[in-house]
Structure formats: structure tokens, C-alpha cells
Amino acid sequence: MAKMWEGVTAGQTDSLADDFNSSISFDKRLYKQDIKGSMAHAAMLASRGIISEEDCRLITSGLEGILTDLESGALAFDLSCEDIHMFVEQVLTERIGEAGKRLHTARSRNDQVALDLRLYLRDETDGITQLIKELMRALAGQAEKHTETIMPGYTHLQRAQPINFAHHLLAYVQMLKRDCGRLSDCRARMNVSPIGSCALAGTTYDTDRAMEAELLGFDGVCANSMDGVSDRDFCLELMSALSIMMMHLSRLSEELILWSSWEFRFVRLSDAFTTGSSIMPQKKNPDMAELIRGKTGRVYGDLAALLTTLKGLPLAYNKDMQEDKEAVFDAVDTAKMCLKVMAPMIDTMTVLPENMLKAAREGFINATDLADYLVRKGMPFRSAYKISGQIVACCTEKGKVLEDLSLEEYKGFSELFGEDLFPEIDIRNCMEKRTSEGGASSASAAKQLKELEI
Ligand code: ARG
């Protein structure tokens, strides 16, 4: 198609250069935001008498028609246009003539692209927040059923102390809650309008930026026109928040992979969220969890790519910035997909409490409680720690657990031991005694659940 600047430059651009320069193949997804932005712009121009009411009416109904036709499929994107902004303006002008040519008064594509992206990502941020909440609900739903399900809590992937499964899941709920907080912070800074910054220096027309911002649901306007067109912090902040969120999903995925292995057997993932092997008939592979873990790197990559793109750019707009979209779209699409899969995968997983309990019984995870018992009888903690270590070593040698030794055997290590020891090292008691705020008792898990606002 003919270039807008034809007549200004003498030569034709090479078709390779056109393809290289074009962004419509990926920015076409901004069509709705671009059209809404243009409607607001026309309304503002008319309110200031910069265009006539009649032109505004023609532009608005023309844009409405384009929106309807794009959505019904009656109008296809013309991929020979450089970008979505050029495409919409071109179709509008084809359809309504002269009035269409007045729309681009007092604006530039530089502020259009910044505007469209903010509008688009604002909605995506809200959508992602809802998806996170769904995952939180899925985790809380499982947690509700398992406040009394004992399992070993780990450090260094070594069995450490008794916890319940709900407590473990609720740790992830806290992470996701912070993720929602980060998204909401990021949304607040994102929600200011760059439109009216124009190419970089504002405009000589008597525009009403506040009106345009209000029509589009922004909380205010960017205070500096150069910043308005060159700022992509809102993309970076969103991608940072998504990277952290993906790191959380990846850690959860890693646990699901471990827990569903034959080595642990703590959970069984539903057939709907696992795959078989093409050669080994016995296999049930946690592909979805592995892919979420894998895609985490991809979202970090998107963030790193845009940070790197922006780091050397002089103000204001540079074409390098066109690279923002594929990175941020990919991060958004990937994060959404992962959240959409993770929630039902958690929802449908079968928990195997027997196996968790068995692992809890075998790992000397009551050894801290044994030491604490001696401390309560008056022994300094370090000495109690040492004796408890010796008892664990003795048990390991005999193939026993702490609960198996007789009082006689205990007395061989310290005269302080009495019959009241046994309830103190009972695994369930050990878990239930952890009543400190945020601790691992089932009462604490129940309280965490109760206080949860999703
Ligand atoms: N397609 C461009 C982008 O995505 C829109 C802004 C172009 N501005 C310009 N002066 N070339 O960044």
C-alpha cells in the first residue's frame, strides 16, 4: 500500500525493509484499544473545536464499524500496513474520506502505541489477578481437606519437622497473595494516560488531556510528554511481577513433580493433567508441571530482553521500542496459560495421606521435640541436642524410630527421661504443639484458611 509519507521521501522502501519494519503481525491484537483510544481522541478534538462535531460523528461511527467488522471477521487485517495504528486510520479514511484524515491531529503514533499498550495491559493485569485468585482458591480447597494430614516438612530436601499438608499449600497461597499485591501496585502506576504527549514535545493545539484520560478510565495523565512516549516501566514492572509469580509456580511445580514420583508418592496427579510415555507403558509423566517450570525461564527471558532493549535508548521514542510488544505479550500469554493449567491440576490431584504419614514416621522428624523434652527437664539445649543425636544414631543402627525405644533404653542416655516422654515425641502431637503464630499446627492452618480473603 502507499506510504503515508510518500511525497516527503523520494525513494521507495525495499520490501525486505517493509517486512522488517512492520509490527502489525503482532500489534494487531491492540485493535480494540487503538479504536477506543481514537474515539476518545475524536471526542476531545471536537470538544475543543479542533474538529467539527460532524467530523467527530463520522469518525466515531466509522471506528465503530471497523470494530464490529474486525470482530465479525468481515474486515481482515491488512498485513501490508506497518502497524495497527496505520491500519485503523487507513481503513477509516477509505470508509469516511476527509474526516478520517483529521483524526491524527494533535497526536502521534508514539503516544498511540504507549496508550494502547497501557490499556491492553491494564485489562490483562486484571485478568491475571483473577486467574491467580482461582489458583489460590484451588490451593485453599485442598488445604481445607488436609489440615490434619501429617507430612514431613523439609529443609535441604531432608525430612525436618512434622507439618500438615494444608500448612505447606498455604505457604503458596501467601506467595500468590503477594503476587496479586505486586500486580495491583503495578496497575496503579500503569493507569496514567500518555495520550497528548504527541511525538515527544506535546502540542500547540489547545487539547484536553484530562478529558481524554477520563474517557479511557485513567487515573491521571503522564506529567512529562517525553516520559509519556518513552516510558515502558509499566511493561517491565508487569513482567517483573510475572517473573516472580512464575518462580512461585515453578517451585510448586517442582514439588508436584517430586510428590508424584514413586520415591515420594505423596500425591497422584489426575490423568487429565499427566501424559503417558510412547515407550514405557507404566509411565505417568507430570508434563504440565514440568512445562510450567520450563516456561518460567521464558518469562524471565522476556523481562531480560526488554530491559536490555531499553537500557541504551536516548529519549524519546526509538524504533527499538517496537520490540516491547512481543516480549510483554509472550510473558502475559505464558503466565496466563500456566495459571489456567495449574489451578485445575491442583484441584484434581489426589492426596495420599498414608504415604505422607509413613514418610513422617520414618525421618526422625521428632528429634527436635526429643531435645526440647530434655530442655524442659532442665538440661541446656546444646547438651540435649547432643544426646538426642546419639539416640538418633542408636536408632538408625538398630533400624528403629524414636517411638520404638523403651524407657529403659532412654534412661541409658539420661536419667531425666520419664514415661511422659512418649506423648511428647508422638508425631501428631509434635505437629499439633506447633501453635505459635503461623506455625504448623492444624489449628494454625485452620486459622490461616479462615483469615484468607480471596
Ligand atoms: N509500531 C510502532 C511501535 O510498535 C508504533 C510507533 C511508531 N512510531 C514511529 N515514529 N515509527 O513502536
Side-chain angles (χ1 to χ4, degrees):
M1 70 113 181
K3 293 280 178 336
M4 254 164 211
W5 42 83
E6 219 159 77
V8 180
T9 53
Q12 292 271 317
T13 44
D14 191 281
S15 70
L16 262 178
D18 282 342
D19 290 347
F20 190 61
N21 200 33
S22 158
S23 57
I24 191 161
S25 62
F26 50 87
D27 66 21
K28 61 178 189 228
R29 73 161 86 185
L30 299 174
Y31 72 91
K32 203 185 291 168
Q33 290 73 21
D34 201 73
I35 291 173
K36 300 267 182 213
S38 288
M39 286 177 177
H41 191 62
M44 184 281 289
L45 291 176
S47 85
R48 287 293 166 121
I50 302 170
I51 63 171
S52 69
E53 288 296 338
E54 173 59 9
D55 281 344
C56 176
R57 207 188 47 72
L58 282 170
I59 291 172
T60 308
S61 65
L63 289 168
E64 267 161 10
I66 294 174
L67 184 57
T68 315
D69 292 352
L70 281 174
E71 291 193 328
S72 71
L75 174 65
F77 293 103
D78 176 356
L79 296 182
S80 75
C81 288
E82 187 183 319
D83 54 31
I84 187 64
H85 326 295
M86 294 285 212
F87 170 74
V88 172
E89 193 184 329
Q90 179 191 300
V91 178
L92 181 70
T93 305
E94 279 164 12
R95 291 188 174 186
I96 67 166
E98 285 300 301
K101 295 188 194 164
R102 296 189 195 277
L103 173 62
H104 210 56
T105 318
R107 76 169 185 185
S108 112
R109 274 189 298 158
N110 297 350
D111 48 20
Q112 258 184 293
V113 69
L115 171 78
D116 295 0
L117 256 186
R118 282 177 192 260
L119 288 172
Y120 177 82
L121 294 177
R122 186 175 75 184
D123 285 351
E124 292 292 332
T125 302
D126 292 342
I128 292 171
T129 303
Q130 287 316 312
L131 290 174
I132 296 178
K133 289 188 174 170
E134 258 159 58
L135 176 55
M136 288 167 77
R137 278 190 280 272
L139 288 163
Q142 285 285 7
E144 243 149 47
K145 293 182 262 173
H146 293 288
T147 53
E148 315 234 322
T149 302
I150 295 176
M151 72 180 284
Y154 293 80
T155 64
H156 311 270
L157 202 55
Q158 304 285 319
R159 292 175 201 172
Q161 292 187 351
I163 59 167
N164 60 73
F165 190 52
H167 193 59
H168 199 131
L169 295 179
L170 288 168
Y172 283 97
V173 172
Q174 290 302 319
M175 299 177 215
L176 295 169
K177 198 171 147 193
R178 290 193 296 275
D179 290 326
C180 290
R182 267 181 286 272
L183 287 177
S184 127
D185 293 348
C186 151
R187 190 196 193 281
R189 274 182 296 275
M190 180 187 292
N191 202 30
V192 286
S193 170
I195 195 79
S197 300
C198 301
L200 78 161
T203 177
T204 54
Y205 292 97
D206 178 28
T207 53
D208 186 347
R209 292 192 61 202
M211 172 191 172
E212 224 169 321
E214 204 186 315
L215 286 175
L216 294 166
F218 285 111
D219 298 325
V221 299
C222 300
N224 177 300
S225 61
M226 293 184 76
D227 185 44
V229 285
S230 58
D231 170 32
R232 293 293 181 273
D233 290 3
F234 59 97
C235 300
L236 295 173
E237 282 192 46
L238 176 58
M239 283 196 274
S240 307
L242 294 182
S243 293
I244 296 174
M245 192 272 294
M246 287 299 299
M247 177 271 289
H248 295 150
L249 295 195
S250 186
R251 293 181 79 170
L252 179 56
S253 297
E254 174 64 17
E255 304 232 57
L256 293 176
I257 294 161
L258 287 172
W259 291 342
S260 61
S261 71
W262 277 104
E263 281 68 20
F264 278 79
R265 229 57 203 150
F266 285 0
V267 303
R268 201 169 33 236
L269 296 175
S270 126
D271 289 349
F273 293 94
T274 48
T275 58
S277 152
S278 59
I279 168 169
M280 297 164 280
Q282 84 285 12
K283 290 296 284 294
K284 197 160 135 104
N285 295 327
D287 286 29
M288 310 309 136
E290 290 171 75
L291 266 176
I292 294 172
R293 190 178 58 185
K295 284 179 190 290
T296 301
R298 179 175 168 148
V299 174
Y300 295 177
D302 292 326
L303 170 63
L306 186 57
L307 279 169
T308 312
T309 300
L310 293 170
K311 74 183 266 292
L313 298 186
L315 298 183
Y317 178 85
N318 299 266
K319 189 75 174 194
D320 316 43
M321 290 165 67
Q322 182 164 286
E323 291 293 309
D324 56 4
K325 280 170 284 300
E326 282 166 296
V328 75
F329 293 163
D330 185 67
V332 163
D333 293 347
T334 307
K336 278 166 68 182
M337 221 159 34
C338 292
L339 285 164
K340 279 185 194 162
V341 169
M342 185 61 106
M345 181 157 64
I346 294 290
D347 225 9
T348 55
M349 107 189 143
T350 309
V351 180
L352 304 168
E354 303 280 282
N355 296 345
M356 290 184 178
L357 184 62
K358 189 163 177 285
R361 286 202 189 292
E362 285 166 1
F364 297 104
I365 61 179
N366 45 1
T368 314
D369 301 84
L370 179 65
D372 286 343
Y373 171 87
L374 289 172
V375 169
R376 254 178 252 118
K377 296 278 169 178
M379 191 182 280
F381 181 76
R382 273 295 156 233
S383 317
Y385 168 90
K386 193 162 171 201
I387 290 179
S388 303
Q390 287 163 356
I391 298 173
V392 168
C394 161
C395 283
T396 312
E397 210 168 283
K398 294 183 176 165
K400 290 183 169 181
V401 295
L402 296 179
E403 299 89 310
D404 295 338
L405 295 188
S406 66
L407 186 55
E408 293 311 290
E409 286 171 294
Y410 272 110
K411 282 201 179 289
F413 287 95
S414 166
E415 272 307 318
L416 293 174
F417 284 118
E419 269 304 336
D420 57 348
L421 165 69
F422 295 99
E424 291 299 312
I425 55 169
D426 171 81
I427 295 286
R428 180 166 296 278
N429 274 346
C430 291
M431 184 266 280
E432 294 298 13
K433 277 185 307 178
R434 286 172 161 71
T435 51
S436 58
E437 173 102 45
S441 68
S442 52
S444 157
K447 183 167 176 269
Q448 290 175 56
L449 275 165
K450 204 167 146 235
E451 285 167 3
L452 211 61
E453 280 165 21
I454 307 176

